[in-house]
Amino acid sequence: MNVLVVGSGGREHALAWCFAKASSVEQVFVAPGNPGCQGEHGVSNVEIDPSDFSALAKLVQTERVDLTVVGPEQPISEGIRDYFDRFDLACFAPTKAAGRLESSKSFAKDFMSRNNIPTAGAFITQDLEEASEFIHQKGAPIVVKADGLAAGKGVTVARTTSEALEAAAGMLTEARFGDAGATVVIEDFMDGEEASFTLLSDGVDVLPLASSQDHKPIFDGDKGPNTGGMGAYSPAPVVCSRVYEKVMHKIVKPTIQGMASEGSPFQGFLYIGLMVVGDEPRVVEYNCRFGDPEAQPVLMRMKSDLALLCSAALEGGLRNHQIDFANECAVGVVLASEGYPNKYDVGFPIAGLDDEMPNAKVFHAGTRNLNGQTVTNGGRVLTVVGLGDDIVDAQKAAYDRASNIKWDGMQMRSDIGHRAVERLNQPG
Ligand code: GLY
């Protein structure tokens, strides 16, 4: 079959690469993709904006695309699935209504409350006075979230009440995130270990993918401001078999059943951000797509034909399928521009991209070609993924490969996977 991947980041490069090596796939198109996608055998970039649904649908028809898979949240929240459904084109993504699990945090909170899904207690308001009163009552630490999509920047984990008040005021009166911040969700702080739990859903049945954990803060030791993710690894040992069973029983099952019974069955990738306290998992957030950078290490371990599974999900037939991952561990290290997650410059030539190494792969995100040279073109520029028999080997493979790549101002964390390494070193 022919597959179209919508998006241009590291996650989309990993999806395109994964589809291109599947035996059911002949040709992969990526709209608009990046130079890394274009460099893969059997993959072609097509210069179409992910929000231009009519041009995407036309491409699907002219190139006889059998399956479209959507990477980022924006086109999902804008209704790409609903648009493709009108033309009977197979699009593996949730509908706009199902996508509210990510595009509206207040919807997700109310949904979890209606369906008894464990999560932090929350107060939802559009009024700064109410928000201030609640923050003063509760005290810090406390979490302030913009209701809508804010490119990963709409969450403040406030350590002090004044930080929380400043975040709420920024959203409610200064329109820091435009309409996305016109409603705020103020949540209890949850103290535990985070994990990412992603699954494929056909609306009724699910296939869980390998667990993973990302590292959102910019600096080693999980210090500094949050980013889109500075690295991720898979599997995440915090999701042990006990936690896994609880996630499936207390979170996944009621989520999928709840969405179906409320008239918005969920088909697509569902990413559940978890906080694990002891061995009790709670939902931090839903994302209606694969995580980035989680997709890169998880897909490096994928042994199944992902295109067949996405197609089966669209036909409502996941019950008869299974999904397999290599036993190896994968560590993905993000190489980022100097200044990210704040202001950064682009256009720096990148050296060392061609040095192949066994057990490592470089996925592009913020890159572009300039006069035959690959240059930086974003905050998160590359994700280097290493595979190994255990987390330490995988870390070594990733960092060995990353050490050969250079540009002016390149930054990366040096401790991706540290929690899994610490667990490995724990007695017993
Ligand atoms: N890594 C977090 C996300 O994709 O939103």
Side-chain angles (χ1 to χ4, degrees), residues 351-376:
L353 283 174
D354 298 331
D355 307 344
E356 300 274 322
M357 266 191 198
N359 295 335
K361 169 129 192 95
V362 178
F363 294 107
H364 289 226
T367 65
R368 75 180 175 110
N369 284 328
L370 183 67
N371 306 324
Q373 164 92 53
T374 307
V375 301
T376 64

Side-chain angles (χ1 to χ4, degrees), residues 111 114-115 203 253-266:
F111 171 82
R114 286 194 295 279
N115 290 280
K253 206 166 145 199
T255 299
I256 299 301
Q257 281 179 354
M259 290 303 284
S261 71
E262 293 185 11
S264 307
F266 190 98

Side-chain angles (χ1 to χ4, degrees), residues 15 61 77 82 130 157 194 206 229 238 274 294 303 313 342 353 376 390:
L15 281 166
Q61 285 156 335
S77 72
D82 312 64
E130 281 185 7
V157 181
E194 283 194 68
V206 302
V238 64
L274 298 172
E294 289 93 330
K303 283 168 65 183
N342 301 314
L353 283 174
T376 64
D390 61 22

Side-chain angles (χ1 to χ4, degrees), residues 104-225:
S104 169
K105 293 193 170 28
S106 57
F107 171 84
K109 275 286 165 193
D110 289 339
F111 171 82
M112 285 186 269
S113 159
R114 286 194 295 279
N115 290 280
N116 292 319
I117 296 169
T119 185
F123 176 69
I124 299 168
T125 185
Q126 300 182 325
D127 182 77
L128 183 59
E129 227 170 278
E130 281 185 7
S132 305
E133 205 176 306
F134 184 78
I135 290 166
H136 280 302
Q137 236 172 51
K138 278 275 174 183
I142 195 162
V143 181
V144 182
K145 297 180 173 178
D147 180 49
L149 298 179
K153 297 190 178 123
V155 177
T156 300
V157 181
R159 299 282 157 190
T160 60
T161 45
S162 52
E163 207 186 323
L165 292 170
E166 203 268 326
M171 292 175 199
L172 292 172
T173 57
E174 293 155 30
R176 197 169 290 162
F177 302 110
D179 286 349
T183 298
V184 295
V185 177
I186 307 174
E187 286 188 3
D188 295 341
F189 175 77
M190 293 191 281
D191 198 7
E193 187 170 345
E194 283 194 68
S196 308
F197 194 94
T198 308
L199 52 94
L200 293 174
S201 170
D202 64 14
V204 177
D205 292 304
V206 302
L207 281 179
L209 275 66
S211 61
S212 56
Q213 188 176 66
D214 77 349
H215 296 60
K216 291 204 177 79
I218 183 80
F219 299 128
D220 282 4
D222 296 316
K223 302 262 176 1

Side-chain angles (χ1 to χ4, degrees), residues 256-406:
I256 299 301
Q257 281 179 354
M259 290 303 284
S261 71
E262 293 185 11
S264 307
F266 190 98
Q267 278 188 339
F269 289 111
L270 178 63
Y271 162 137
I272 307 175
L274 298 172
M275 184 67 76
V276 184
V277 185
D279 60 7
E280 285 302 324
R282 289 190 191 161
V283 177
V284 175
E285 62 178 359
Y286 291 108
N287 290 326
C288 295
R289 52 172 174 85
F290 221 140
D292 186 340
E294 289 93 330
Q296 293 87 312
V298 169
L299 292 175
M300 276 286 274
R301 298 181 55 220
M302 168 78 74
K303 283 168 65 183
S304 303
D305 184 325
L306 185 61
L308 283 183
L309 294 178
C310 294
S311 298
L314 286 175
E315 282 152 24
L318 278 185
R319 180 163 298 182
N320 304 318
H321 289 267
Q322 60 177 48
I323 191 161
D324 293 318
F325 289 90
N327 286 330
E328 290 163 296
C329 294
V331 170
V333 178
V334 169
L335 311 190
S337 295
E338 184 175 19
Y340 175 79
N342 301 314
K343 207 173 151 320
Y344 54 84
D345 291 326
V346 298
F348 297 101
I350 306 171
L353 283 174
D354 298 331
D355 307 344
E356 300 274 322
M357 266 191 198
N359 295 335
K361 169 129 192 95
V362 178
F363 294 107
H364 289 226
T367 65
R368 75 180 175 110
N369 284 328
L370 183 67
N371 306 324
Q373 164 92 53
T374 307
V375 301
T376 64
N377 195 38
R380 291 191 294 171
V381 176
L382 303 166
T383 308
V384 180
V385 183
L387 276 179
D389 289 337
D390 61 22
I391 189 77
V392 175
D393 283 352
Q395 247 187 351
K396 180 167 171 15
Y399 281 109
D400 280 352
R401 179 67 188 92
S403 68
N404 288 350
I405 298 175
K406 288 193 176 38

